[in-house]
């Protein structure tokens, strides 16, 4: 180790010399430094100065940077030379710090200190290097490196050529210790070369670096050094100089390709963990372009060199080099590279790296392509890159995703040409132009390249249209629509001419239309009409019949008529008919037979809607009453369209229904609700089907026990005489070959028939499940119409008809265990009811002649709510069981005059309904109703509170259990606290109510049973809360109410409850008694009596320890002494109950896991369970207690 330190020490000497030269100081021996009379203890007195060096060694980067800044500022204003000398010494020592995070801080500080022109007098090198002798080799190496790094950061190396030379030599020597410093010295040399002028390099450094430059093909670092020198000093390293160094005037040539390949392999292995592209590879690529040898480099070094290795670091380097080369290559070079072997192997990597545990390079390649497209303004190059990556296919399917975000960076011209290429490849797939490959497993599979390619192209075109960040024009979008008929994407497409920067955020943007307001779907209809009118060139896969063609032509005429009317007076109704006509017309190509009738009905609806407006003045109602309203027919059409599995149809139906919402009648709304409520019998049947399916599964599991199958099997065996009997004792050997063949055929037919039956049951089960899923999806779509109606027509009286159906849906959903789809349906229905129906800010102000019907509905819902089993479902019923929602009259509680106003509500009838519900809640042990429901009712409607408060008062004592009695106290308290209730009650009525409540409280408190029961204590607490408010209010208002009985009952409670501790019960009790003049007694702390206090004091001898304080030898504990201790503990008198209880609690707390001991253990038994020292302490304590008792 000492030899290694001596080997490294000259290098340290150079660093210190460089610092000394730059500081401009003179050298002095340590003895001379002592003789200079430097005052001792100066640095010890400046604590702030020393803290700078402590902060430089801390791991936090912010702390180190702040310490460097403060140290420089301190030295600028300091006039003490010893502080500067001490600073350099500490910074040099810190370069070899054992903590790796501290070295950059000291290096940065040394560089900043060296950048100032400080004069160091009487400073010797020996004083600066003394601390390095005691450091390890690794720390010394890092100290040297960071010392040079500090000099480099000081920006003064370029002014001192000799210092630069010494630094380069030092770094060359440090580069030999690669196991510690890796490639840091080489990178620092390259950084230094980028800052020095060419004259310094040619005159000073070229000789020192000549050996490294001549061995450039040995290591990646040396080759990188040569490439950096070529880029920085081209006039010095001319071809003639290169030939003298390397033997050739160029670096990339046929003779050097093998050497370059080996260096690139070494570079690929060195960055295996970092997953980056080595700089030497990119520099070689740039040099090949400069020397016009790219073809040679890419073909020989990359394709035929790096890719010959097994997949790994060499392949990843080639892929990253491909991505980095995109901005540097010409158009011809791009096309060549993107159709070569590197791209093919990259595709194989993408396909094979689909498993989660494999390394994936695709995200890096996406970043390379995205950066290239963002920085490239040449449409030809952009198109070449997009076509190249889209042509890399695996059995026809491109390896890049169909939704590729890099498309948004394409220029409009490049995007248009790329779409044209996609369309041409879709119509006429040219597989020979693709860079296609297959994996080993796929070679034996059926090749469907064309269908796979077309599937990907359709998805790519859809992503181009749907991505709003892609810069596209309307002509391009229409071109794509004509090619693929993308109805779904265009329905939500914003206007392409709108600018997001100009349009305000609050403005409502139009979707599904072009810049001039024409709907995209209408453009497609026009294009379809053009194709239909050219039968010579276009043939339909499913030609229209005359009736279907007539429906198509009538659709065009109706749309044209509606467009004319919309220009004169646009309305939502006209827009709705227009969208629906176009939608049905486009789907005629898909299902013409089913939609012809729909088209005719839609035509009749439009005519009737227009006739209605024209015939308003004519009185011909008799003929119209027999026919359904046009809105009802429209709703039926929308419901029939919703049964189609199309998201576009669902969205159009939602839009159309929102336009015709103002015209919806009760019959039309009932048709919608019938679709939601129609699953009453279906749910029961589905449950039966589930039960049957479970039974079928059990039968399948025990298939061998099926009696029918067993009977059939016995028949087959008996028919072939294959059953052995006791009489003949025959066995299977009696059957000949022909009989065995017949038996095998019969058994095979029997088992085949049984298998078919089993499969038929499975198929039936699958069919029923699919039908159930389809029905549930349809009902979810119907909820869209309900949601639209609630949002658009919140002020319509028809909204009240949604209450019961939605509650029924919620009740059914929450009472059954269902799958995820059923849960989504339930969540959607509950959200509509709770957040949109109950919390709507708009209410209908008139109910017409439906008052009696609404009151009947109230009674019906409350009756159903009381029969429920779940409080959560009952809460949904109670949300709507209130007069505000039934009559939609806003109850103003601000003015006293308006407090009594309840609009058209039959207060007596409604009060009777809620009184019955309150009585049910108080008289049933298990009720779905809760006290919070009635408390909210009392708060919102004081008029009903006045009507129901007497029932609540009676149940203070008449409640079925203590819990209900306590809840009655809570409700009465809420009623008495209401200011509106006090305003509604006259003075005499208020006093009478208070007197009645006092009487009930007296009776309730007299019935207080066992005080230990938790439920009794809760009831008493609620009663005391009511007592506190009532007594306070009676005394403040001086009401003629006798409180003496209540006071006596409260005073007698002290015999039942011990009000000595602190708690909710005790605090509430004394708060009530305070109104009667009783104050809470103060608790006095009494010392616990001990057995030692009763004994006479024992005089102690001075200088001697008492027996209880003497240390005993625990190892010599005799059995007799243990027996004596047990006897003493047995004869010990029992302590006070409080003490025993506290000891038991202490013992319980000691139990692990929170458990309690069933019985106290004996001392001997405890000594066996406790550790040795704890058992000895326990015995010692027991002995002292025994001595005290004696």
């Amino acid at each position: 180790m000492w030899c290694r330190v001596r080997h490294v020490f000259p290098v340290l000497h150079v660093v210190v010399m460089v610092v000394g030269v730059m500081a401009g100081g003179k050298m002095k021996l340590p003895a001379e430094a002592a003789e200079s009379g430097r005052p001792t203890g100066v640095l010890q007195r400046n604590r702030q100065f020393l803290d700078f060096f402590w902060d430089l060694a801390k791991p936090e980067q912010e702390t180190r940077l702040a310490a460097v800044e403060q140290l420089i500022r301190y030295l600028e204003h300091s006039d003490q030379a010893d502080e500067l000398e001490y600073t350099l010494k500490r910074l040099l020592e810190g370069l070899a710090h054992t903590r790796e995070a501290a070295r950059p801080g000291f290096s940065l500080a040394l560089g900043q200190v060296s950048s100032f022109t400080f004069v160091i007098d009487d400073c010797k090198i020996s004083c600066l290097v003394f601390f390095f002798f005691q450091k390890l080799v690794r720390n010394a190496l890092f100290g040297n490196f960071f010392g040079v790094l500090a000099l480099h950061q000081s920006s003064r190396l370029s002014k001192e050529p000799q210092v630069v030379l010494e630094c380069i030599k030092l770094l060359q020597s440090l580069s030999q210790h690669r196991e510690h410093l890796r490639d840091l010295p080489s990178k620092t040399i390259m950084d230094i070369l980028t800052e020095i002028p060419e004259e310094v390099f040619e005159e000073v450094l070229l000789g020192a670096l000549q050996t490294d430059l001549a061995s450039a093909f040995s290591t990646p670092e040396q080759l990188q050094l040569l490439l950096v020198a070529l880029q920085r000093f081209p006039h010095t390293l001319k071809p003639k100089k290169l030939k003298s160094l390397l033997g050739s005037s160029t670096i990339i040539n046929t003779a050097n390709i093998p050497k370059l390949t080996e260096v690139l392999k070494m570079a690929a292995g060195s960055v295996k963990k970092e997953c980056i592209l080595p700089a030497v590879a990119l520099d070689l690529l740039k040099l090949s372009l400069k020397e016009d040898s790219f073809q040679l480099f890419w073909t020989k070094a990359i394709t035929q060199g790096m890719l010959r290795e097994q997949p790994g670091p060499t392949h990843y380097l080639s892929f990253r080099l491909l991505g980095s080369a995109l901005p540097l290559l010409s158009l011809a070079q791009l096309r060549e590279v993107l159709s070569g072997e590197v791209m093919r192997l990259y595709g194989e990597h993408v396909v094979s790296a689909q498993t989660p545990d494999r390394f994936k390079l695709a995200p890096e390649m996406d970043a390379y392509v995205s950066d290239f497209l963002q920085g490239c303004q040449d449409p030809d190059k952009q198109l070449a890159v997009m076509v190249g990556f889209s042509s890399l296919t695996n059995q026809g399917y491109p390896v890049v995703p169909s939704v590729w975000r890099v498309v948004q960076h394409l220029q409009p011209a490049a995007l248009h040409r790329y779409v044209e290429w996609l369309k041409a490849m879709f119509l006429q797939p040219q597989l020979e132009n693709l860079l296609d490959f297959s994996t080993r497993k796929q070679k034996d599979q059926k090749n469907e390249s064309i269908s796979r390619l077309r599937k990907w192209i359709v998805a790519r075109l859809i992503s181009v249209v749907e991505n709003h960040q892609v810069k596209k024009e309307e002509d391009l979008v229409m071109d794509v629509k004509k090619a693929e008929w993308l109805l779904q994407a265009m329905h939500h497409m914003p206007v392409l001419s709108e600018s997001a920067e100009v349009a305000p955020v609050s403005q409502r943007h139009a979707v599904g239309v072009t810049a001039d307001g024409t709907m995209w779907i209408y453009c497609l209809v026009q294009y379809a009409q053009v194709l239909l009118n050219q039968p010579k060139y276009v043939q339909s896969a499913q030609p229209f019949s005359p009736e279907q063609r007539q429906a198509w032509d009538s659709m065009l005429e109706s749309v044209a008529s509606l467009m004319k009317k919309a220009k004169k007076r646009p309305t939502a109704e006209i827009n709705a008919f227009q969208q629906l006509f176009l939608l049905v017309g486009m789907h005629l190509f898909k299902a013409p037979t089913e939609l012809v009738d729909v088209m005719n009905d839609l035509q009749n609806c439009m005519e009737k809607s227009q006739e209605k407006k024209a015939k308003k003045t004519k009185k011909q109602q008799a003929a119209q009453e027999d026919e359904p309203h046009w809105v009802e027919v429209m709703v039926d059409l929308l419901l029939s369209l919703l049964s189609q599995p199309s998201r576009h149809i669902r969205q159009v139906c939602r839009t159309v229904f929102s336009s015709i919402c103002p015209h919806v009648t009760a019959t039309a709304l009932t048709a919608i609700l019938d679709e939601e409520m129609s699953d009453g019998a279906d749910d029961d049947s589905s449950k039966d089907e589930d039960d049957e399916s479970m039974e079928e599964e059990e039968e399948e599991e025990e298939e061998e026990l099926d009696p029918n199958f067993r009977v059939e099997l016995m028949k087959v065996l008996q028919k072939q005489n294959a059953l052995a009997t006791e009489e003949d004792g025959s066995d299977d050997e009696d059957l000949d070959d022909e009989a065995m063949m017949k038996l095998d055929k019969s058994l095979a037919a029997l088992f085949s028939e049984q298998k078919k039956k089993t499969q038929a049951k499975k198929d039936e089960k699958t069919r029923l499940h699919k039908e159930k899923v389809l029905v549930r999806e349809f009902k979810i779509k119907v909820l869209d119409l309900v949601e639209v109606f609630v949002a658009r027509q919140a002020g319509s009286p028809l909204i009240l008809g949604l209450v019961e159906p939605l509650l029924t849906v919620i009740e059914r959903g929450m009472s059954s265990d269902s799958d995820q789809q059923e849960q989504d349906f339930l969540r959607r229905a509950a959200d509509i009811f709770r957040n949109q129906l109950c919390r709507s800010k708009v209410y209908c102000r008139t109910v017409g002649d439906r008052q009696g019907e609404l009151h009947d509905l109230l009674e019906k819902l409350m009756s159903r709510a009381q029969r429920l089993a779940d409080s959560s479902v009952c809460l949904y019923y109670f949300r709507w069981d209130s007069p505000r929602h039934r009559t939609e009259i806003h109850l103003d509680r601000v003015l006293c005059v308006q407090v009594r106003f309840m609009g058209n509500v039959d207060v007596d009838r409604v009060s009777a309904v809620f009184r019955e519900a309150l009585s049910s809640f108080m008289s049933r042990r298990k009720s779905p109703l809760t006290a919070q429901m009635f408390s909210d009712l009392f708060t919102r409607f004081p008029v009903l509170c006045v009507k129901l408060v007497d029932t609540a008062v009676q149940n203070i004592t008449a409640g079925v259990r203590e819990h209900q009695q306590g809840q009655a106290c809570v409700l009465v308290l809420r009623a008495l606290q209401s200011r509106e209730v006090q305003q509604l009650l006259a003075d005499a009525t208020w006093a009478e109510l208070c007197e009645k409540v006092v009487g009930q409280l007296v009776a309730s408190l007299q019935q207080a049973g066992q005080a230990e029961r938790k439920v009794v204590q809760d009831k008493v607490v609620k009663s005391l809360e009511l007592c506190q408010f009532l007594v306070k209010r009676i005394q403040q208002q001086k009401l003629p109410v006798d409180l003496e009985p209540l006071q006596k009952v409260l005073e007698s409670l002290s015999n039942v409850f011990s009000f000595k501790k602190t708690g909710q019960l005790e605090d509430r009790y004394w708060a009530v008694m305070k109104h009667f003049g009783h104050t809470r007694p103060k608790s006095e702390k009494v010392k616990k009596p001990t057995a030692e206090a009763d004994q006479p004091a024992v005089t102690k001898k001075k200088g001697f320890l008492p027996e209880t304080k003497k240390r005993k030898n625990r190892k010599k504990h005799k059995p007799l002494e243990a027996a004596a201790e047990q006897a003493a503990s047995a004869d010990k008198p029992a302590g006070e109950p409080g003490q025993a209880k506290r000891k038991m609690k202490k013992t319980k707390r000691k139990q692990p896991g929170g458990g309690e001991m069933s019985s106290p253990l004996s001392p001997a038994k405890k000594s066996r369970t406790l550790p040795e020292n704890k058992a000895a302490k326990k015995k010692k304590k027991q002995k002292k207690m025994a001595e005290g008792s004696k």
Side-chain angles (χ1 to χ4, degrees), residues 1038-1105:
K1038 299 181 180 179
L1039 299 177
V1041 179
D1042 187 12
L1043 297 176
E1044 185 177 355
L1046 180 61
Q1047 181 179 359
K1048 292 181 179 179
V1049 173
L1050 291 174
E1051 291 175 352
S1052 64
L1053 286 180
S1054 59
N1055 299 328
V1056 182
F1057 301 95
S1058 57
F1059 300 109
K1060 295 182 180 180
K1061 302 178 182 179
T1062 58
Q1064 185 180 10
L1065 178 61
E1066 290 77 8
D1067 296 341
R1068 189 63 61 186
Y1069 174 78
W1070 290 113
V1072 177
M1073 296 303 294
K1074 183 179 180 181
H1075 295 288
F1076 293 106
H1078 296 274
T1079 59
R1080 186 171 188 168
K1082 296 182 179 180
S1083 58
E1084 298 180 359
K1085 296 183 179 180
V1086 182
K1087 292 184 179 181
K1088 181 175 63 175
T1090 58
E1092 289 82 354
D1094 300 337
Q1095 299 296 332
V1098 180
T1099 58
K1100 299 180 181 179
K1101 298 180 181 180
K1102 294 183 178 180
F1104 294 92
L1105 288 174

Side-chain angles (χ1 to χ4, degrees), residues 883 887 889 891 898-907 941 943-944:
T887 62
I889 298 298
L891 184 60
Q898 295 181 352
V899 170
R900 302 177 181 274
F901 180 70
M902 289 293 290
N904 296 325
V905 176
D906 188 349
V907 178
F941 304 103
V943 176
L944 295 180

Side-chain angles (χ1 to χ4, degrees), residues 567-587:
K567 291 181 179 179
K568 297 179 180 179
R569 187 181 178 183
T571 60
E573 180 182 343
I574 293 177
N575 188 25
F577 275 109
Q578 188 176 355
Q579 290 189 41
L580 207 54
F581 268 118
L582 294 173
L583 173 67
V584 177
M586 290 301 298
H587 282 270

Side-chain angles (χ1 to χ4, degrees), residues 907-965:
V907 178
D908 295 335
R909 185 176 179 182
V910 173
S911 300
V913 172
F914 284 101
R915 185 179 296 108
E916 181 183 358
L918 182 59
S919 300
S920 174
F921 168 64
M922 293 295 176
S923 59
R924 292 175 59 183
R925 292 182 175 271
K926 293 183 179 180
S927 175
L929 304 175
T930 61
Q932 186 63 36
M933 299 178 184
F934 293 99
S935 179
D936 295 339
L937 181 69
F938 286 4
T939 304
R940 294 172 56 192
F941 304 103
V943 176
L944 295 180
C945 179
V946 172
K947 297 290 185 178
L948 301 178
V949 68
D950 292 337
T951 304
V953 171
Q954 293 175 2
N955 285 280
I956 293 178
T957 56
V960 65
R961 292 186 305 175
E962 289 84 355
H963 173 72
Q964 279 78 2
Q965 296 173 9

Side-chain angles (χ1 to χ4, degrees), residues 395-518:
Q395 286 193 341
Y397 198 88
V399 297
V400 294
S402 58
V403 183
W404 208 15
R405 294 184 178 181
V406 301
V407 181
Q408 65 190 19
H409 303 304
L410 289 176
Q411 298 292 330
L415 179 63
H416 181 75
R417 295 170 59 185
Y418 180 59
V419 170
E420 291 294 333
W421 180 83
L422 291 174
K423 290 167 49 182
M425 191 61 68
F426 180 85
L427 296 176
Q428 296 179 354
Q430 300 177 3
L431 301 181
E432 65 275 4
N433 295 337
L434 300 178
L435 186 59
D436 194 79
F437 64 92
S438 301
T439 60
R440 295 179 181 177
K441 296 181 180 179
Q442 294 174 341
K443 290 182 179 180
D444 299 334
Q445 298 178 359
K446 184 179 179 180
N447 193 350
E448 299 178 355
S449 300
I450 296 179
S451 60
R452 287 164 58 88
L453 177 62
R454 285 176 171 172
K455 180 180 179 181
W456 181 89
I457 291 176
V458 171
R460 170 56 61 86
L461 290 174
I462 292 176
S463 66
V464 170
V465 174
E466 290 185 344
N467 191 352
H468 302 324
Q469 296 181 354
V470 177
K471 302 175 184 178
K472 51 185 176 291
E473 299 176 354
E474 289 185 355
D475 295 339
L476 175 65
V477 175
M478 192 60 207
D479 197 11
V480 175
K481 301 299 183 185
K482 292 178 180 179
E484 304 297 337
W485 292 42
L486 308 177
L487 299 179
Q488 170 62 29
M490 69 184 181
H491 186 71
H492 289 285
M493 183 181 299
V495 179
L496 298 181
S497 61
E498 289 185 353
S499 176
E501 300 177 356
V502 179
V505 179
S506 59
Q507 182 179 354
R508 187 175 182 180
H509 300 275
V511 294
V513 297
T514 61
D516 58 354
T518 306

Side-chain angles (χ1 to χ4, degrees), residues 1114 1117 1125 1167 1170-1185:
R1114 299 175 183 173
H1117 191 70
E1125 290 174 0
S1167 64
L1170 297 174
E1172 184 179 356
N1173 54 350
K1174 293 185 178 180
K1177 291 182 180 179
K1178 190 68 177 179
K1179 293 177 181 178
K1180 183 177 179 181
K1181 184 176 181 181
Q1182 291 174 356
K1183 185 174 181 179
K1184 287 192 290 184
M1185 295 178 64

Side-chain angles (χ1 to χ4, degrees), residues 1125-1144:
E1125 290 174 0
Q1126 294 180 9
S1129 62
D1131 296 339
K1132 182 182 65 173
E1136 296 180 2
Q1139 295 180 4
K1141 189 174 183 180
R1142 283 192 292 271
K1143 290 180 181 179
M1144 287 297 296

